[in-house]
Amino acid sequence: PRLPPLPGLALDMSFFVTSANPGKGGNLGGLEGADRYCQDLATKAGAGDKTWHAFLSTDKVNAKDRVGKGPWYNFEGKMIAKDVADLLGEHNMINGETAVNEMGHAPNYLTGDPPQRPAGQLEHDMLTGTKDDGTATDMTCNNWTEGGDDAKATLGHADRKGRNPGVNSWLDAHPSQGCSMEKLAPTGSAGLFYCFAVN
């Protein structure tokens, strides 16, 4: 059943950061499980009439090829990027103000320049497995099926702050220490990831 949209939800919302990890760290049930999770969160927000994919790469798929053609808008209707080239270019609008979850809330991001940190667990590390050109790295928590620490993930900074700030640090900032929630947390991850509507 179609749920009524959350108050303030833009009808054209086509991008969000997950509000939580499904519960197993880097084990998202593969791309299929990650996509399903994006779809479920979007449905609960009232945006389930679109097809949602996680912005994740594997050894067979590049994230940039999974998200449609754009344009993409956040919960408030602010444009993130007009197309894939824009998304991967210097003018994309993913940052600490626009990278909000499906309920319109920002995770716990770095609010100022280092070393300012908010109270509580920092949450700006996003699972991507992706280089700054949108193609796969070799760190994908075993194609998003590994929730232990025999593998690692490439993480991006949704607020584009902290280590290696830059145009596409939202995609590729640094590797994780492992793929469990316990090993994701120390660098600033709650196991969140990006979701895009592909249509």
Side-chain angles (χ1 to χ4, degrees):
R2 181 165 163 73
L3 298 171
L6 292 173
L9 175 78
L11 292 177
D12 53 3
M13 180 178 81
S14 42
F15 162 85
F16 62 85
V17 169
T18 60
S19 53
N21 178 274
K24 297 179 182 174
N27 180 359
L28 304 172
L31 287 181
E32 190 178 299
D35 289 349
R36 191 165 47 245
Y37 189 63
C38 285
Q39 192 76 44
D40 288 348
L41 293 180
T43 298
K44 287 174 186 164
D49 52 345
K50 302 180 180 87
T51 300
W52 292 85
H53 282 179
F55 194 94
L56 297 168
S57 295
T58 68
D59 60 5
K60 293 187 173 58
V61 183
N62 296 321
K64 69 175 184 174
D65 300 326
R66 310 193 73 243
V67 293
K69 295 179 177 168
W72 300 281
Y73 301 89
N74 73 356
F75 181 94
E76 297 154 338
K78 291 180 180 159
M79 187 188 285
I80 297 300
K82 63 178 187 287
D83 53 32
V84 173
D86 192 31
L87 184 66
L88 299 174
E90 60 185 302
H91 300 298
N92 79 70
M93 293 301 298
I94 294 178
N95 57 51
E97 283 73 53
T98 61
V100 294
N101 64 31
E102 75 281 1
M103 297 179 286
H105 306 308
N108 209 8
Y109 294 147
L110 281 166
T111 48
D113 293 317
Q116 281 182 281
R117 283 209 166 185
Q121 166 67 36
L122 192 62
E123 299 174 333
H124 73 163
D125 284 358
M126 301 289 144
L127 301 170
T128 71
T130 303
K131 292 186 255 194
D132 61 8
D133 65 356
T135 63
T137 68
D138 58 359
M139 291 184 284
T140 62
C141 293
N142 193 18
N143 294 328
W144 313 111
T145 63
E146 169 69 61
D149 297 317
D150 294 330
K152 293 183 178 180
T154 299
L155 303 170
H157 285 167
D159 54 9
R160 292 182 20 191
K161 293 189 172 164
R163 274 193 284 172
N164 310 319
V167 170
N168 282 343
S169 59
W170 68 275
L171 276 179
D172 182 4
H174 57 83
S176 69
Q177 294 180 12
C179 290
S180 66
M181 291 300 283
E182 293 72 27
K183 289 291 187 182
L184 289 169
T187 57
S189 180
L192 310 181
F193 51 96
Y194 305 107
C195 298
F196 285 79
V198 301
N199 55 347

